[in-house]
């Protein structure tokens, strides 16, 4: 009896090792531990055993059953783990898959320069204004002290859509519109970027379409020293903290007095080089005190308010900063050029 039980246990354990599925495991349990299984059979055989041996044999049989049940439990959890791992492996999503990379562009050098100029003036309390590229002759010329047949109109010959409608020759009409919109001599500071047009033959330094940024400050007691101080601060943020500027007299029909602003050559620092034509200075913008007639036409009282204005060519500034020798490079979208500017910080 004892040997029989040992042999039974060994056989049952050996068989358990070959079980590979949960169904087979269940079948194993029925076969060895079930009500009509082999162990039950053994237990039934106990009645044949000598009464003195019966308790020991009964104990033995119970121990065998405990060990088999324990082994069964271990096998089952092993197989449940294995099945779960298999299922999870099949359901797994590989979150380590590389993200699809997207080609990220960079600001066009002209856009970058506009943004830099805007940022600086926004820091001075300016707001950014925009307006239409197709303009009325009135806002583009008349309101800026350029009546019909004024000789200065010749400098800004442009594309007319009709006798009264044209492609703007500067962003000044946006400023004229702002003067008209703001009432009661209220002060304001605006910066106006945008595309403008002139009837011109394209070459390395001329384009029939180009980009301007103009500024206008209006308020009580605005003086030429305010203009110079603000443009000096601008030049220092734009070109370097030790920048120096100078004003030279000039002429614009909408400012009086008018001036050109030069900065110390950003390459030689003023000692003289090819870029500054050995003058040590580079012209970057035109400016002046707003003509009283322009204020008047904008609904301002020149006895109460004065103002200054300035305008710069973005292409000129960009050509200077990045040593681009031909303005047409900015317009043809040659990737070889544009990629050289991909490192410009946004
Ligand atoms: C240049 C010079 C300038 C202005 C633009 C302006 C606008 C108003 C009134 C007075 Cl509404 N002035 N604009 C003034 C002086 C110069 O631009 O060479 N730009 C490329």
């Amino acid at each position: 009896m004892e040997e029989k039980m040992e042999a039974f246990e060994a056989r049952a354990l050996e068989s358990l090792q070959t079980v590979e599925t949960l169904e087979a495991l269940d079948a194993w349990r029925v076969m060895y531990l079930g009500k009509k299984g082999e162990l039950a059979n053994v237990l039934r055989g106990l009645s044949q055993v000598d009464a003195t041996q019966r308790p020991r044999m009964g104990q033995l049989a119970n121990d065998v059953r405990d060990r088999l049940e324990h082994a069964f439990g271990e096998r089952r959890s092993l197989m449940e783990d294995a099945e779960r791992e298999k299922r999870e492996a099949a359901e797994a999503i590989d979150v380590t898959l590389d993200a699809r990379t997207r080609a990220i562009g960079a600001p066009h050098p002209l856009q970058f320069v506009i943004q830099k100029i805007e940022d600086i003036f926004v820091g001075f309390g300016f707001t950014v204004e925009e307006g239409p590229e197709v303009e009325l002759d009135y806002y583009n010329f008349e309101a800026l002290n350029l009546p019909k047949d004024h000789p200065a109109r010749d400098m800004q010959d442009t594309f007319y859509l009709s006798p009264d409608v044209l492609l703007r020759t500067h962003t000044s009409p946006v400023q004229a519109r702002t003067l008209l919109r703001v009432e009661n001599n209220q002060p304001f500071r605006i910066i106006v970027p945008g595309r403008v047009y002139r009837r011109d033959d394209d070459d390395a330094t001329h384009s029939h379409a180009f980009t301007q940024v103009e500024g206008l400050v209006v308020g009580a007691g605005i003086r030429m020293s305010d203009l110079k101080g603000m443009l000096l601060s601008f030049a220092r943020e734009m070109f370097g903290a030790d920048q120096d500027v100078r004003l030279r007299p000039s002429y614009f029909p909408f400012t009086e007095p008018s001036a050109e602003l030069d900065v110390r050559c950003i390459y030689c620092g003023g000692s003289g080089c090819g870029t500054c034509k050995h003058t040590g200075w580079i012209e970057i913008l035109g400016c002046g005190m707003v003509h009283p007639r322009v204020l008047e036409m904008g609904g301002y009282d020149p006895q109460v308010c004065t103002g200054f204005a300035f305008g710069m060519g973005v292409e000129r500034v960009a050509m200077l900063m990045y040593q681009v020798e031909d303005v047409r490079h900015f317009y043809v979208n040659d990737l070889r050029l544009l990629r050289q500017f991909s490192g410009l910080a946004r």
Side-chain angles (χ1 to χ4, degrees):
M1 183 81 192
E2 216 174 322
E3 279 134 43
K4 231 174 110 186
M5 266 194 287
E6 266 172 31
F8 161 68
E9 183 178 2
R11 197 154 41 76
L13 287 174
E14 198 185 334
S15 157
L16 187 62
Q17 296 311 307
T18 68
V19 165
E20 297 291 351
T21 66
L22 285 170
E23 296 81 56
L25 187 68
D26 205 48
W28 179 91
R29 193 184 53 76
V30 170
M31 183 165 154
Y32 292 98
L33 301 173
K35 274 203 183 78
K36 293 175 182 167
E38 290 200 30
L39 185 68
N41 218 10
V42 171
L43 290 172
R44 264 194 298 282
L46 279 177
S47 56
Q48 314 292 315
V49 173
D50 186 275
T52 58
Q53 293 294 310
R54 210 175 292 153
R56 206 174 68 82
M57 288 299 141
Q59 183 61 49
L60 216 67
N62 278 339
D63 291 349
V64 168
R65 191 189 56 218
D66 286 350
R67 283 197 294 273
L68 287 181
E69 273 176 356
H70 181 74
F72 168 82
E74 296 233 300
R75 185 81 187 165
R76 184 177 55 191
S77 72
L78 212 78
M79 279 173 32
E80 281 171 352
D81 286 353
E83 294 230 339
R84 195 183 57 248
E85 272 166 31
K86 220 170 102 186
R87 193 176 61 244
E88 284 173 355
E91 290 172 356
I93 296 164
D94 184 0
V95 295
T96 68
L97 199 63
D98 283 350
R100 282 178 203 185
T101 55
R102 203 183 285 243
I104 295 175
H108 187 280
L110 292 179
Q111 201 56 41
F112 181 77
V113 170
I114 290 173
Q115 279 167 12
K116 192 164 170 177
I117 295 168
E118 280 180 11
D119 284 352
I120 294 169
F121 281 103
V122 165
F124 296 160
F126 285 57
T127 51
V128 180
E129 286 284 339
E130 287 183 300
E133 292 179 18
V134 177
E135 251 307 356
L136 290 176
D137 180 279
Y138 181 79
Y139 295 114
N140 193 80
F141 288 130
E142 299 265 339
L144 292 161
N145 201 28
L146 275 149
K148 291 209 161 45
D149 302 321
H150 191 291
R153 280 202 184 199
D154 292 350
M155 298 194 306
Q156 300 189 13
D157 193 12
T158 187
F159 302 96
Y160 281 85
L161 284 82
S162 77
D164 295 325
V165 182
L166 46 73
L167 296 185
R168 67 183 182 188
T169 60
H170 42 198
T171 55
S172 312
V174 182
Q175 293 157 295
R177 286 167 177 274
T178 307
L179 283 170
L180 280 160
R181 191 179 68 240
V182 180
E183 299 190 320
N184 299 319
N185 295 301
Q186 286 299 301
F188 65 81
R189 312 167 183 201
I190 58 170
I191 192 90
V192 186
R195 179 175 282 243
V196 301
Y197 303 83
R198 305 258 169 112
R199 213 225 59 77
D200 230 337
D201 292 316
D202 293 0
D203 63 22
T205 54
H206 296 84
S207 172
H208 63 280
F210 62 103
T211 322
Q212 248 195 345
V213 175
E214 282 191 68
L216 175 64
V217 174
V218 171
I222 301 287
R223 307 188 298 174
M224 191 117 186
S225 53
D226 297 316
L227 176 156
K228 189 172 181 183
M230 191 165 277
L231 293 180
L232 172 63
S233 298
F234 163 71
R236 289 185 170 170
E237 291 212 30
M238 192 77 189
F239 302 109
D242 53 357
Q243 247 309 333
D244 225 359
V245 299
R246 71 175 185 187
L247 289 172
R248 277 180 296 107
S250 185
Y251 170 79
F252 300 105
F254 27 79
T255 48
E256 182 60 35
S258 304
E260 312 276 355
L261 184 88
D262 295 345
V263 295
R264 273 243 205 265
C265 179
I266 60 174
Y267 293 112
C268 67
S271 58
C273 68
T275 303
C276 61
K277 298 196 185 90
H278 301 282
T279 64
W281 295 92
I282 295 174
E283 180 190 323
I284 60 153
L285 58 81
C287 56
M289 300 306 291
V290 180
H291 197 290
R293 297 219 31 209
V294 174
L295 289 171
E296 238 165 45
M297 282 185 283
Y300 275 74
D301 180 351
Q303 300 301 320
V304 176
C305 275
T306 49
F308 67 80
F310 54 89
M312 64 190 113
V314 176
E315 283 82 352
R316 245 189 73 77
V317 174
M319 286 169 81
L320 201 67
M321 286 172 73
Y322 306 124
Q323 293 187 280
V324 174
E325 77 286 359
D326 191 318
V327 70
R328 290 168 291 196
H329 285 313
F330 291 131
Y331 308 126
V332 293
N333 291 328
D334 185 333
L335 289 174
R336 291 171 304 175
L337 175 109
L338 297 176
R339 288 203 174 106
Q340 293 179 51
F341 295 96
S342 65
L344 293 180
R346 243 162 263 255

